[in-house]
Structure formats: C-alpha cells, structure tokens
Amino acid sequence: KAGVTQTPRYLIKTRGQQVTLSCSPISGHRSVSWYQQTPGQGLQFLFEYFSETQRNKGNFPGRFSGRQFSNSRSEMNVSTLELGDSALYLCASSPYNDYEQYFGPGTRLTVT
Amino acid sequence: QKEVEQNSGPLSVPEGAIASLNCTYSDRGSQSFFWYRQYSGKSPELIMSIYSNGDKEDGRFTAQLNKASQYVSLLIRDSQPSDSATYLCAVTGGYSTLTFGKGTMLLVSP
C-alpha cells in the first residue's frame, strides 16, 4: 500500500504571499491531520478532517485553513505568510479515531 | 491545555545496551499512546502504539503504559547505532488529534 504523499516537498515564499500544500492519505484512510514542526515549538496540531468535515482545530490564527475532498485528499492554505511560518508541515492519515497515524514526508516551507 | 513531557536528552547508551525513554502526560482522558522515531531531516515514523495498561512488545521494542501514573515508556533492547534518532511520545484523547512531547534524542555509540 502506498504511503502518505505530500506535495510540494520544498517551497520558498516571500512574506505576504500565500501558499497551498497538498496531501494524499493512505488508500482507505478517511482522517487527515496536519501538523507544524519547528525547532522551538516541536510538533503542533493544526487541524483534522474526516469525511470532508473539520472536526478539530489547533491554536493557530485564521490565516491557516484547510479542506478535504471527497477522495480524502486534503489541502492546507496559509495566507499572508510571515517569517515565523517557516516550518516543516506534516500531514498524517489514519483509518479510525484515536488510532495510529502515519506521516507523509512533509513540506519544508521557507518564508523570506 | 494538554501536555506531554519528555526529557530532551541526549540519552547516550553504548551499542547493545537497553535504552529507556520516558514520557508523562497531563490529560487523564487520553486514550491512545504512541511512540514515533524521527531521524534528522525526516518525518516521524510510527514504531509503537499502546492502548491499555501494561506492556506491549514488538521485536526489540517494548512500550509500557501506566494510566494511573499518567506515564508511558519505551524500552529499546540491544540498541544499535541505527537507533540514534529523536523519539517522540504522542497521546490522543479524541478524534485524531495527537499531542506530542518535544522528543528525546537518543545517541547509541558503537
């Protein structure tokens, strides 16, 4: 079974721009979660989608948004980028609630 | 605020020794517990999951859970240099929202 895929793998953007990241979960997994990883804060939860519905959201500003499509693929969007948004953005998929989550390779975003 | 605490390390052990990694969590409602391994520059890789009190063994890895003490641990037997990585403890208590610790860096010397 193919793993979680994320595109693009690397991205360089300028302050004020917006960015869209994409995630394809493992086949059959309906839950997709997004996390931000930085050296200072570690791994922090952004949001989780299940069957196209956002069920939970972390403590991030409204500039961070996401959606999930009927085929379970998910996208996250960050508008008005700030230097502090530079991070590794990770997507994880899971077949059930409170069950094992499998991470994709991540998208490394650099904001200059 | 749910919190997961881990010693940042580094934890240094010689090859062949047992490495013991510990984690405490604040939310008594946490239901599922995971250990992830993350190599530098890579994404987290799930190595163990545990859902009930007691021990769970998988190869060289043993996870231990004590919900009364809000404590999770990971033992790595016969540690190898390839085990050198950061080990992340994660817990979830609803939907699929993982709360992570900051991780413990493990260094296994040949």
Side-chain angles (χ1 to χ4, degrees):
Chain A
K1 212 181 239 189
V4 178
T5 59
Q6 291 186 247
T7 57
R9 294 291 310 278
Y10 303 92
L11 208 49
I12 300 175
K13 289 288 189 179
T14 304
R15 258 186 317 176
Q17 288 186 315
Q18 75 166 18
V19 67
T20 299
L21 312 181
S22 181
C23 170
S24 291
I26 293 171
S27 177
H29 287 195
R30 296 166 66 188
S31 170
V32 174
S33 299
W34 289 89
Y35 297 85
Q36 180 196 66
Q37 187 173 31
T38 59
Q41 297 300 316
L43 266 158
Q44 293 186 290
F45 170 75
L46 280 156
F47 25 67
E48 187 258 353
Y49 288 88
F50 186 90
S51 294
E52 301 179 68
T53 300
Q54 186 183 93
R55 297 194 299 184
N56 209 352
K57 190 177 192 302
N59 188 26
F60 278 83
R63 300 185 296 108
F64 292 81
S65 63
R67 60 178 176 169
Q68 186 181 33
F69 302 96
S70 58
N71 61 358
S72 293
R73 191 177 68 85
S74 178
E75 289 181 347
M76 68 163 282
N77 183 276
V78 188
S79 62
T80 320
L81 284 166
E82 300 177 359
L83 295 178
D85 296 333
S86 294
L88 179 65
Y89 289 88
L90 292 158
C91 166
S93 75
S94 177
Y96 313 113
N97 285 340
D98 286 340
Y99 199 66
E100 300 169 351
Q101 291 189 30
Y102 299 91
F103 282 85
T107 295
R108 173 76 61 185
L109 172 65
T110 302
V111 182
T112 62
Chain B
Q1 177 100 4
K2 300 176 183 178
E3 292 184 347
V4 176
E5 299 288 338
Q6 295 182 256
N7 189 317
S8 62
L11 172 66
S12 296
V13 300
E15 184 175 356
I18 295 176
S20 178
L21 303 160
N22 304 313
C23 167
T24 58
Y25 60 95
S26 64
D27 183 9
R28 285 196 172 273
S30 298
Q31 298 172 11
S32 307
F33 306 86
F34 308 96
W35 284 98
Y36 287 84
R37 176 176 63 197
Q38 187 172 27
Y39 293 111
S40 180
K42 300 294 187 182
S43 63
E45 173 193 9
L46 179 67
I47 54 172
M48 288 291 286
S49 59
I50 187 166
Y51 302 96
S52 55
N53 280 330
D55 296 359
K56 179 182 177 182
E57 186 175 318
D58 184 0
R60 296 186 296 113
F61 299 98
T62 298
Q64 299 174 316
L65 174 60
N66 183 326
K67 287 188 178 181
S69 300
Q70 296 176 245
Y71 177 88
V72 194
S73 66
L74 179 70
L75 299 177
I76 306 175
R77 291 181 299 281
D78 188 25
S79 295
Q80 301 297 310
S82 58
D83 294 327
S84 297
T86 296
Y87 288 80
L88 299 161
C89 174
V91 307
T92 182
Y95 297 135
S96 294
T97 303
L98 289 172
T99 301
F100 282 88
K102 293 286 180 69
T104 297
M105 182 181 293
L106 173 66
L107 298 175
V108 181
S109 54

